């Protein structure tokens, strides 16, 4: 996500979509998969989406859209700008590690809860 800047937040299938633009003007679309609180800060786990292929439900690689592939996720710190709007920023290395650990703990706790049911 380095060198990307947030262009816009829009709605797609009733989910917020974060639109990032790189230095060359290429737009990339992400959806918030999860919000991870760490201390008094919030971090978003952003999963890339392809707006053109979002409607695919094949869940395998037969259509060629790549929907069966596991996507790389990104971590972004959620801050508020001077207008009160949420903005997504790159976390520091220390914040990244804290979020990674908090996320792993959340996933582990969810798995334990599922096993207990």
């Amino acid at each position: 996500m380095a060198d990307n800047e947030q262009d816009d937040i829009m709605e797609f299938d009733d989910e917020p979509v974060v639109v990032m633009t790189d230095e060359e003007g290429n737009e990339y679309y992400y959806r918030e998969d999860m919000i991870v609180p760490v201390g008094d800060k919030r971090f978003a786990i952003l999963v890339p989406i392809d707006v053109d292929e979002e409607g695919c439900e094949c869940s395998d690689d037969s259509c060629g859209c790549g929907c069966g592939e596991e996507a790389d996720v990104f971590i972004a710190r959620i801050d508020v700008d001077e207008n009160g709007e949420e903005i997504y920023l790159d976390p520091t290395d220390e914040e990244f590690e804290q979020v990674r650990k908090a996320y792993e703990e959340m996933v582990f706790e969810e798995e334990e809860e599922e096993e207990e049911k």
Side-chain angles (χ1 to χ4, degrees), residues 14-80:
D14 296 327
E15 290 186 16
V17 173
V18 179
V19 181
M20 306 291 274
T21 305
D22 67 14
E23 294 173 343
E24 298 170 0
N26 299 313
E27 289 186 343
Y28 300 93
Y29 300 88
Y30 302 89
R31 68 174 175 79
E32 283 184 5
D33 187 53
M34 177 185 289
I35 301 295
V36 179
V38 176
D40 60 345
K41 297 179 183 177
R42 295 181 319 135
F43 296 84
I45 306 298
L46 299 175
V47 178
I49 59 172
D50 186 340
V51 175
D52 295 332
E53 297 168 353
E54 179 63 20
C56 182
E57 297 179 6
C58 67
S59 73
D60 63 26
D61 292 327
S62 63
C63 71
C65 74
C67 62
E69 298 174 14
E70 192 168 315
D72 292 329
V73 299
F74 296 95
I75 296 173
R77 185 178 69 236
I78 303 172
D79 284 352
V80 178

Side-chain angles (χ1 to χ4, degrees), residues 99-116:
V99 174
R100 186 185 61 77
K101 288 178 185 176
Y103 176 78
E104 288 175 356
E105 288 174 14
M106 291 171 69
V107 169
F108 179 74
E109 289 173 7
E110 286 178 12
E111 289 174 354
E112 281 187 335
E113 288 175 9
E114 288 296 317
E115 288 177 7
E116 291 175 4

